[in-house]
Amino acid sequence: MKSLLFLAVVLLATLSLTNSTTIYEETDRITEALMTKMKDHQKHLRPPGSITNITIDMYVRNIFTMDADERKWKVQLTFRQSWEDERLAYTTSMEGMDRIAYGNPKDIWTPDLFFRDEISSHEHDTFHPNNLVYIYPNGKVLYSKRLTVELYCPVDFNQQNFVCPISLASYMYTKDEMNLHWKTEDPVQLPKTVYMPKFILNGVTTQTCDAKTTIGKWSCITALFNIGHKICHE
Ligand SMILES: *[C@@H]1O[C@H](CO)[C@@H](O)[C@H](O)[C@H]1NC(C)=O
């Protein structure tokens, strides 16, 4: 009796394995369908709709350099952007599959942001590009990337306290086409300790910094890093 029951269980398990699709196969199917649907030129067009809202947050992994002479500083960030692109919406009946992980942002449209005060930046790709792209069934995209950015901070670092901004804007799209928002909750996450030999990070605040040029109005968001001097008790 016992062995019969065991046989039945094994049989059922084998059947359900051969009949059901694995998450791997389902991810492959959806990815294939999306990439076929997303024609080459569409990667260059922003998502259809009146406006593209981009929600941004970042994790400050470290602050490496505060260069008082050159008035520049260097930060390493995990930089996250999120938006909706209805062209990437899909349906799945697979239980427990709430997103697909897709590694290559070059196959989809991504926002053309730039750091306003950037001197230089580089991405990290020692083993593989440090990119993460999640696509949700409703077409929501989460794009995360590890970056090291060197930024200009045009203030006197010798003051007791000073502010260095990290500001972002779209290069191409005006504010009526693309709007940047800080994530409502915890937009700039900080590590427990930031290693700066001479400085301390007092805190970070976020705000908008929309700008007007001869071409139009641009959405801009900024994180203001309030930095102070370490007091030495020698
Ligand atoms: C974009 O964000 C604004 C709020 O700032 C909202 O009113 C609007 O509905 C959003 N549009 C889309 C297409 O998500």
Side-chain angles (χ1 to χ4, degrees):
M1 188 63 202
K2 235 180 181 172
S3 62
L4 247 176
L5 201 72
F6 177 74
L7 198 74
V9 169
V10 170
L11 216 86
L12 265 175
T14 318
L15 269 177
S16 65
L17 258 183
T18 44
N19 282 345
S20 69
T21 318
T22 62
I23 291 224
Y24 176 86
E25 288 163 344
E26 182 67 351
T27 302
D28 186 41
R29 181 190 70 79
I30 294 167
T31 309
E32 177 83 31
L34 290 183
M35 295 315 138
T36 309
K37 204 173 105 194
M38 196 77 164
K39 291 186 207 82
D40 222 30
H41 74 272
Q42 289 185 340
K43 292 174 208 165
H44 306 290
L45 300 176
R46 73 178 175 90
S50 55
I51 191 161
T52 309
N53 284 326
I54 317 286
T55 303
I56 291 163
D57 75 291
M58 60 193 183
Y59 169 54
V60 180
R61 305 183 70 91
N62 218 332
I63 300 177
F64 297 114
T65 321
M66 295 295 310
D67 186 333
D69 295 336
E70 304 269 334
R71 296 190 176 187
K72 62 188 190 184
W73 61 311
K74 200 186 250 188
V75 291
Q76 190 179 106
L77 307 169
T78 297
F79 186 75
R80 305 187 192 95
Q81 312 170 58
S82 172
W83 65 92
E84 271 179 41
D85 188 338
E86 65 186 47
R87 298 169 298 186
L88 299 175
Y90 58 89
T91 50
T92 176
S93 51
M94 179 146 242
E95 196 97 4
M97 190 162 152
D98 57 352
R99 56 163 172 82
I100 54 169
Y102 187 71
N104 190 355
K106 292 203 165 71
D107 286 346
I108 60 169
W109 177 87
T110 53
D112 65 335
L113 305 184
F114 71 103
F115 292 104
R116 280 229 298 226
D117 303 299
E118 177 186 311
I119 297 167
S120 66
S121 79
H122 78 267
E123 300 175 17
H124 296 268
D125 58 0
T126 305
F127 297 108
H128 181 87
N130 291 178
N131 290 326
L132 170 159
V133 178
Y134 285 168
I135 306 174
Y136 297 82
N138 67 353
K140 184 186 151 183
V141 182
L142 174 66
Y143 174 24
S144 161
K145 194 180 198 47
R146 191 159 69 95
L147 289 172
T148 297
V149 195
E150 189 179 35
L151 297 146
Y152 186 53
C153 179
V155 295
D156 181 1
F157 289 12
N158 293 316
Q159 297 168 82
Q160 187 52 44
N161 286 291
F162 56 94
V163 171
C164 286
I166 297 185
S167 306
L168 288 147
S170 162
Y171 197 79
M172 180 158 72
Y173 300 109
T174 53
K175 192 178 167 67
D176 52 354
E177 296 168 310
M178 188 193 283
N179 206 356
L180 308 183
H181 310 260
W182 282 114
K183 191 161 160 262
T184 320
E185 213 174 285
D186 212 7
V188 181
Q189 304 112 51
L190 303 172
K192 280 204 190 77
T193 50
V194 175
Y195 182 72
M196 292 189 285
K198 291 188 196 146
F199 299 97
I200 49 166
L201 181 59
N202 295 322
V204 181
T205 54
T206 54
Q207 60 184 53
T208 55
C209 47
D210 293 357
K212 239 182 173 159
T213 71
T214 51
I215 308 176
K217 199 175 172 200
W218 309 82
S219 177
C220 169
I221 56 173
T222 188
L224 302 171
F225 287 67
N226 190 308
I227 298 163
H229 283 261
K230 267 186 192 159
I231 299 159
C232 297
H233 303 279
E234 287 179 50

mmCIF file of all heavy atoms in Angstrom, residues 60 63 190-191 194 196 199-204 225-228:
data_model
loop_
_atom_site.group_PDB
_atom_site.id
_atom_site.type_symbol
_atom_site.label_atom_id
_atom_site.label_comp_id
_atom_site.label_asym_id
_atom_site.label_seq_id
_atom_site.Cartn_x
_atom_site.Cartn_y
_atom_site.Cartn_z
ATOM 1 N N VAL A 60 23.850 55.651 -2.436
ATOM 2 C CA VAL A 60 25.217 56.178 -2.489
ATOM 3 C C VAL A 60 26.130 55.123 -1.884
ATOM 4 O O VAL A 60 26.128 54.904 -0.672
ATOM 5 C CB VAL A 60 25.320 57.502 -1.697
ATOM 6 C CG1 VAL A 60 26.741 58.053 -1.756
ATOM 7 C CG2 VAL A 60 24.324 58.515 -2.232
ATOM 8 N N ILE A 63 31.630 57.778 -1.146
ATOM 9 C CA ILE A 63 32.168 59.041 -1.649
ATOM 10 C C ILE A 63 33.681 58.906 -1.540
ATOM 11 O O ILE A 63 34.212 58.651 -0.459
ATOM 12 C CB ILE A 63 31.660 60.242 -0.828
ATOM 13 C CG1 ILE A 63 30.128 60.313 -0.906
ATOM 14 C CG2 ILE A 63 32.300 61.535 -1.318
ATOM 15 C CD1 ILE A 63 29.511 61.419 -0.075
ATOM 16 N N LEU A 190 21.730 56.145 2.017
ATOM 17 C CA LEU A 190 23.141 56.323 2.365
ATOM 18 C C LEU A 190 23.670 55.095 3.081
ATOM 19 O O LEU A 190 22.928 54.428 3.798
ATOM 20 C CB LEU A 190 23.297 57.556 3.268
ATOM 21 C CG LEU A 190 22.778 58.870 2.690
ATOM 22 C CD1 LEU A 190 22.806 59.955 3.750
ATOM 23 C CD2 LEU A 190 23.597 59.291 1.477
ATOM 24 N N PRO A 191 24.959 54.805 2.920
ATOM 25 C CA PRO A 191 25.533 53.673 3.652
ATOM 26 C C PRO A 191 25.710 54.061 5.124
ATOM 27 O O PRO A 191 25.629 55.237 5.470
ATOM 28 C CB PRO A 191 26.880 53.472 2.974
ATOM 29 C CG PRO A 191 27.228 54.796 2.410
ATOM 30 C CD PRO A 191 25.944 55.494 2.084
ATOM 31 N N VAL A 194 30.287 56.642 5.551
ATOM 32 C CA VAL A 194 30.890 57.140 4.315
ATOM 33 C C VAL A 194 32.323 57.461 4.678
ATOM 34 O O VAL A 194 32.570 58.222 5.614
ATOM 35 C CB VAL A 194 30.166 58.411 3.831
ATOM 36 C CG1 VAL A 194 30.865 58.988 2.614
ATOM 37 C CG2 VAL A 194 28.716 58.114 3.501
ATOM 38 N N MET A 196 35.298 59.387 4.408
ATOM 39 C CA MET A 196 35.974 60.572 3.909
ATOM 40 C C MET A 196 36.906 61.007 5.032
ATOM 41 O O MET A 196 36.445 61.291 6.145
ATOM 42 C CB MET A 196 34.960 61.676 3.604
ATOM 43 C CG MET A 196 34.046 61.368 2.432
ATOM 44 S SD MET A 196 33.048 62.797 1.970
ATOM 45 C CE MET A 196 31.829 62.819 3.273
ATOM 46 N N PHE A 199 36.131 64.897 5.830
ATOM 47 C CA PHE A 199 34.777 65.464 5.772
ATOM 48 C C PHE A 199 33.741 64.513 6.360
ATOM 49 O O PHE A 199 33.969 63.314 6.477
ATOM 50 C CB PHE A 199 34.403 65.760 4.316
ATOM 51 C CG PHE A 199 35.301 66.749 3.642
ATOM 52 C CD1 PHE A 199 36.350 66.322 2.838
ATOM 53 C CD2 PHE A 199 35.107 68.115 3.816
ATOM 54 C CE1 PHE A 199 37.187 67.232 2.209
ATOM 55 C CE2 PHE A 199 35.942 69.042 3.195
ATOM 56 C CZ PHE A 199 36.984 68.593 2.390
ATOM 57 N N ILE A 200 32.620 65.081 6.730
ATOM 58 C CA ILE A 200 31.486 64.254 7.137
ATOM 59 C C ILE A 200 30.268 64.638 6.290
ATOM 60 O O ILE A 200 30.140 65.776 5.854
ATOM 61 C CB ILE A 200 31.124 64.416 8.643
ATOM 62 C CG1 ILE A 200 31.027 65.902 9.021
ATOM 63 C CG2 ILE A 200 32.088 63.683 9.533
ATOM 64 C CD1 ILE A 200 30.357 66.126 10.344
ATOM 65 N N LEU A 201 29.423 63.646 6.080
ATOM 66 C CA LEU A 201 28.192 63.893 5.344
ATOM 67 C C LEU A 201 27.087 64.143 6.367
ATOM 68 O O LEU A 201 26.704 63.254 7.118
ATOM 69 C CB LEU A 201 27.865 62.680 4.458
ATOM 70 C CG LEU A 201 26.622 62.761 3.585
ATOM 71 C CD1 LEU A 201 26.694 63.943 2.622
ATOM 72 C CD2 LEU A 201 26.446 61.468 2.797
ATOM 73 N N ASN A 202 26.599 65.401 6.414
ATOM 74 C CA ASN A 202 25.567 65.751 7.398
ATOM 75 C C ASN A 202 24.198 65.234 6.985
ATOM 76 O O ASN A 202 23.365 64.921 7.825
ATOM 77 C CB ASN A 202 25.496 67.267 7.576
ATOM 78 C CG ASN A 202 26.772 67.821 8.184
ATOM 79 O OD1 ASN A 202 27.360 67.196 9.065
ATOM 80 N ND2 ASN A 202 27.221 68.972 7.697
ATOM 81 N N GLY A 203 23.956 65.167 5.682
ATOM 82 C CA GLY A 203 22.648 64.703 5.215
ATOM 83 C C GLY A 203 22.419 65.074 3.768
ATOM 84 O O GLY A 203 23.218 65.799 3.166
ATOM 85 N N VAL A 204 21.335 64.559 3.234
ATOM 86 C CA VAL A 204 21.006 64.814 1.825
ATOM 87 C C VAL A 204 19.544 65.222 1.735
ATOM 88 O O VAL A 204 18.683 64.596 2.360
ATOM 89 C CB VAL A 204 21.237 63.547 0.965
ATOM 90 C CG1 VAL A 204 20.920 63.823 -0.501
ATOM 91 C CG2 VAL A 204 22.659 63.034 1.090
ATOM 92 N N PHE A 225 23.881 67.384 -1.249
ATOM 93 C CA PHE A 225 24.694 66.727 -0.228
ATOM 94 C C PHE A 225 25.293 67.791 0.679
ATOM 95 O O PHE A 225 26.085 68.609 0.226
ATOM 96 C CB PHE A 225 25.816 65.889 -0.878
ATOM 97 C CG PHE A 225 25.320 64.642 -1.530
ATOM 98 C CD1 PHE A 225 24.508 64.696 -2.654
ATOM 99 C CD2 PHE A 225 25.656 63.392 -1.015
ATOM 100 C CE1 PHE A 225 24.039 63.531 -3.259
ATOM 101 C CE2 PHE A 225 25.190 62.224 -1.609
ATOM 102 C CZ PHE A 225 24.375 62.293 -2.727
ATOM 103 N N ASN A 226 24.873 67.756 1.931
ATOM 104 C CA ASN A 226 25.389 68.721 2.897
ATOM 105 C C ASN A 226 26.633 68.136 3.571
ATOM 106 O O ASN A 226 26.549 67.136 4.275
ATOM 107 C CB ASN A 226 24.291 69.028 3.922
ATOM 108 C CG ASN A 226 24.664 70.187 4.814
ATOM 109 O OD1 ASN A 226 25.749 70.202 5.405
ATOM 110 N ND2 ASN A 226 23.776 71.155 4.919
ATOM 111 N N ILE A 227 27.768 68.763 3.313
ATOM 112 C CA ILE A 227 29.047 68.207 3.766
ATOM 113 C C ILE A 227 29.719 69.168 4.762
ATOM 114 O O ILE A 227 29.640 70.393 4.594
ATOM 115 C CB ILE A 227 29.958 67.932 2.543
ATOM 116 C CG1 ILE A 227 29.285 66.893 1.634
ATOM 117 C CG2 ILE A 227 31.348 67.449 2.971
ATOM 118 C CD1 ILE A 227 29.825 66.821 0.245
ATOM 119 N N GLY A 228 30.313 68.624 5.798
ATOM 120 C CA GLY A 228 31.008 69.452 6.785
ATOM 121 C C GLY A 228 32.405 68.934 7.030
ATOM 122 O O GLY A 228 32.790 67.876 6.529
#
